Each structure stands twice: as C-alpha cells, then as structure tokens.
Amino acid sequence: MSAYGFNHNTAQRHTNAALALMAELGVISHPDNFQIFFTYVAKTNFDLCRTIDILRSNHREFDEAQCKELHTRFFSDKRENEIIERISNDLRQQLGSILDTVHKVGVDTRKYNKALDHFCSYVGDKNRDLSNLEQALHTLLGATREMEGVNRTLENRLTNSSCEITRLREDMENLKREALTDGLTGIANRKAFDMQLREGMMHAMEDGQPLSLLLLDIDHFKKFNDTYGHQIGDQVIRLLAESLKRNVKGQDTAARYGGEEFAIILPSTSLGNAMLFGDHLRHYIETHKVVTKTGRTIIGKVTASIGVAEFRPGEPVAKLIERADMALYFAKENGRNQVASEKQIATDGRAPQPRDIRDIAAQ
C-alpha cells in the first residue's frame, strides 16, 4: 500500500481505466480532468461518482465547462487554500510595510524632537551669542518640513494599505461565497448544503426544535435533454432554482444537491408544515413553463417530485437524507409531480432500500 492508498498495480489499472473512459466520453486531456476520472473509477468519492453517474445516464457532454464545474465542486479546497494563503501573504506584507513606516516615523520623530530641544535650549540660554539664531531657526524649519514630509508619506501609505486590506478582505469574502455557490444556478451548492444541514441538526438538538428536509427532483429531465439539448436542460435547472429563490426565505436554505436534484432545509419546521410548504412549492413550479430564448415558443411545463423527512435527534446526517431520498423515490414511483413523506413509505409497508443511481436519473 502506498501513501496514495493504492499499490502500484491498482493505481495503474485506475489510470488506464480513467484514460480509456476520458477517451470514450471525449474529455479533453488535462490534469484536472484526469483527477476527476481517476477518482471516479477508483470510487474514492461517493458524491463525485453519484454526480457523474447522473450526468452519464442523462447523456450529458463532458465538455470543458462541465469538467471545470466538476473540478471546482469536488476539488476546489486545494485551490481555495492556495488563494487564501496568497491573500494572507499579501496581508502580512501590507502590515509589515505599515510597521516599517511607523518605525521610520518614530526614528524621525526622535530626531525632530532632538532638533527642537536644541533650538529651545539655544534660545533660552541668556548667555549664548544669538548671532547664529537665524541659522538655528533654518535648521529647525528644515527638520519641520522633513517631519511634515514623513507624516504625509505615512498618511499616504496608511491610506493605500487600508484600501489594499479592504480589497483583500473583499477577495476573501468573494472566495468564500463562490466556494459555497453553485455556478449554474446561483443558489447554495452541495458543500454549503452539507454545512447548513449539520449546523441545523445541531441547533435542532440544542433547542429541541424540529427540522425538516425536502429533496426535489425534476420530472422527465432526461426528456428535456434528449429532445431539446443540454442548453434547454440547463434552462430547466435554472428555472427550478429561480422558483426556489422566490419561495425559500429567511433561515431556510435551498441548494442544488446534484444534477437535476435540489434540497431545502427547513429549521423549526415539523413534517406536516414541511409537507404543506412542499405542496405549495410543487404547485408554484408546475405553473411556470419553459420557453425558447426568444420567448415565442413554449417548450413545456416543468414539474417536480418532492420527498420530505423530519430530523430525529441524534441520528447521523446520512439517515435523514436517506429517508428524504426514499420519500422522493416514492413520489416518483407513484406518478410524479407530488409530495411524499417518510410516513407514506412506512404506511406503504415497504422497507427503504438504497436505490441505484441510474434508476434515479431515469425518472
């Protein structure tokens, strides 16, 4: 076993399989793309494998934009850390420059104070010949001007450094925001969803409040892609995301869970109220139609199936997601364009079983 978790022969098999799959899918040869598909064939990242399976089942093209989105989503931490380190270094340089300038001002201030003390003692000495008073005054004036120049330099440097620090702080905030935002839809991405769900579950246990989770899946999404192309497919995804933006407010969180699947976290919301919200959202979605860019041709309406589950204090994240996922699958199996809860699964008498990703994508 190597430091990478594979022996040489296993790593070579994964390499060959990744390169063969990239060639089969028409993926451009690039280190980032190789990282994606090596991880996929090695099955070391479940979420990445799940996403690629959905994309392949929907016959999505793995073009440059798609691969870039995958790499940013699943391998962005290293890049984020590199950027954060660069920003931190820039901040350290700015602070170092300020300290150097302040130190110089301190030295120059001591020199000025010494010149001022000398002039005052010169003037105050009654026994001193004042014939050189003019020269002493010129010396003090020169020191004063020099001190004014140093102060202006310090002021300018502090102003510039303040602007630079503000810019670096904004860069840091933008980086954090981008790392948690889905590029296609502008809503929270899977990384942000994971963070918010864990935090929400922790608060629910601390406060004794309910928390519900909704999983949404666009009905017949594959049909949109196969019939109208991927651009229309992306338009459908953006349309559903816009519906979520308009209906999910306050402390609630809407996120793109993966592919054409979305998630909504509802803190302080019971299963019954989450079902009511889900049905309101389902109705809102079905009233909006997909049109061409010109707006002249109506392509069709979008509907979504929704699964709802309520957090059980102490359970792991995966269990809550699994129950919501099974409720979603139940809604799909029973006609789509409806909301199903975890209770309906229990009532139906079928034990929840993990569903194959290709079955999900085909719905």
Side-chain angles (χ1 to χ4, degrees):
M1 187 72 71
S2 72
Y4 294 101
F6 306 108
N7 60 37
H8 176 77
N9 291 334
T10 301
Q12 188 61 53
R13 285 200 304 273
H14 291 334
T15 296
N16 294 339
L19 292 174
L21 182 57
M22 289 171 65
E24 176 188 338
L25 298 175
V27 177
I28 298 174
S29 296
H30 187 277
D32 288 352
N33 294 343
F34 176 75
Q35 183 180 20
I36 293 169
F37 287 93
F38 183 93
T39 303
Y40 174 70
V41 299
K43 302 186 185 305
T44 56
N45 187 317
F46 172 78
D47 290 333
L48 171 66
C49 294
R50 186 175 190 272
T51 300
I52 291 180
D53 280 339
I54 290 175
L55 294 172
R56 293 182 68 186
S57 295
N58 288 334
H59 307 293
R60 298 293 294 269
E61 293 181 7
F62 289 88
D63 55 15
E64 183 177 356
Q66 182 65 73
C67 289
K68 185 177 181 180
E69 181 181 345
L70 285 171
H71 196 272
T72 299
R73 177 178 172 188
F74 293 102
F75 302 98
S76 61
D77 286 346
K78 181 178 179 182
R79 290 183 176 180
E80 290 170 26
N81 291 335
E82 290 174 350
I83 296 173
I84 289 172
E85 181 62 25
R86 176 183 62 77
I87 293 175
S88 298
N89 288 335
D90 289 345
L91 283 170
R92 283 193 287 269
Q93 290 177 4
Q94 288 296 324
L95 293 174
S97 175
I98 292 173
L99 291 174
D100 289 343
T101 304
V102 171
H103 176 72
K104 184 178 185 302
V105 170
V107 173
D108 290 339
T109 300
R110 288 192 293 273
K111 288 169 60 179
Y112 176 75
N113 288 338
K114 185 176 180 180
L116 182 60
D117 289 342
H118 175 72
F119 178 78
C120 290
S121 64
Y122 185 90
V123 174
D125 189 350
K126 295 179 180 180
N127 298 320
R128 178 166 295 189
D129 181 7
L130 298 181
S131 59
N132 292 323
L133 177 60
E134 184 178 357
Q135 180 60 40
L137 181 59
H138 280 303
T139 300
L140 179 60
L141 288 173
T144 302
R145 294 190 185 98
E146 183 178 350
M147 193 63 204
E148 289 175 348
V150 170
N151 286 334
R152 282 195 297 272
T153 300
L154 175 62
E155 182 181 0
N156 290 335
R157 287 191 178 182
L158 289 175
T159 299
N160 292 336
S161 295
S162 177
C163 293
E164 181 64 12
I165 289 173
T166 298
R167 184 188 67 79
L168 291 171
R169 178 178 56 79
E170 290 174 350
D171 287 347
M172 186 79 77
E173 292 174 353
N174 290 335
L175 175 65
K176 292 178 180 178
R177 186 163 49 251
E178 289 173 4
L180 299 175
T181 303
D182 177 64
L184 178 63
T185 63
I187 64 175
N189 61 13
R190 176 63 183 272
K191 182 177 181 179
F193 165 79
D194 290 338
M195 292 172 55
Q196 288 293 328
L197 183 58
R198 286 188 174 89
E199 183 177 338
M201 291 167 67
M202 180 182 67
H203 288 317
M205 286 192 292
E206 291 174 351
D207 302 337
Q209 294 292 319
L211 177 144
S212 292
L213 172 66
L214 281 69
L215 289 183
L216 295 77
D217 191 87
I218 301 173
D219 296 327
H220 304 295
F221 182 73
K222 184 176 181 295
K223 179 180 178 181
F224 280 102
N225 270 336
D226 291 347
T227 306
Y228 302 106
H230 301 309
Q231 288 187 341
I232 295 297
D234 287 345
Q235 186 178 336
V236 171
I237 290 175
R238 284 192 290 265
L239 175 64
L240 193 132
E242 186 61 32
S243 297
L244 267 59
K245 288 180 187 178
R246 293 180 180 275
N247 288 274
V248 178
K249 305 291 184 181
Q251 63 180 348
D252 303 335
T253 300
R256 187 179 178 193
Y257 190 75
E260 66 271 18
E261 207 164 357
F262 295 80
I264 302 174
I265 305 168
L266 301 177
S268 304
T269 306
S270 65
L271 183 68
N273 288 331
M275 288 288 292
L276 291 175
F277 171 79
D279 197 56
H280 165 78
L281 179 62
R282 180 203 60 77
H283 177 71
Y284 182 91
I285 292 170
E286 74 172 345
T287 60
H288 291 73
K289 294 179 173 59
V290 182
V291 298
T292 59
K293 287 186 177 181
T294 61
R296 296 175 181 174
T297 304
I298 297 176
I299 293 174
K301 73 175 184 178
V302 177
T303 64
S305 299
I306 303 175
V308 186
E310 184 176 344
F311 172 57
R312 299 171 184 173
E315 72 175 342
V317 173
K319 287 294 184 182
L320 174 60
I321 295 176
E322 179 183 341
R323 293 200 311 279
D325 193 50
M326 291 304 301
L328 169 59
Y329 191 45
F330 184 91
K332 287 280 191 183
E333 281 191 318
N334 287 273
R336 303 183 181 89
N337 190 24
Q338 61 180 275
V339 184
S341 80
E342 57 180 320
K343 287 186 176 181
Q344 289 174 265
I345 300 173
T347 302
D348 190 62
R350 292 177 296 174
Q353 297 293 328
R355 54 189 173 125
D356 186 274
I357 191 62
R358 291 174 180 80
D359 291 338
I360 301 170
Q363 299 300 314

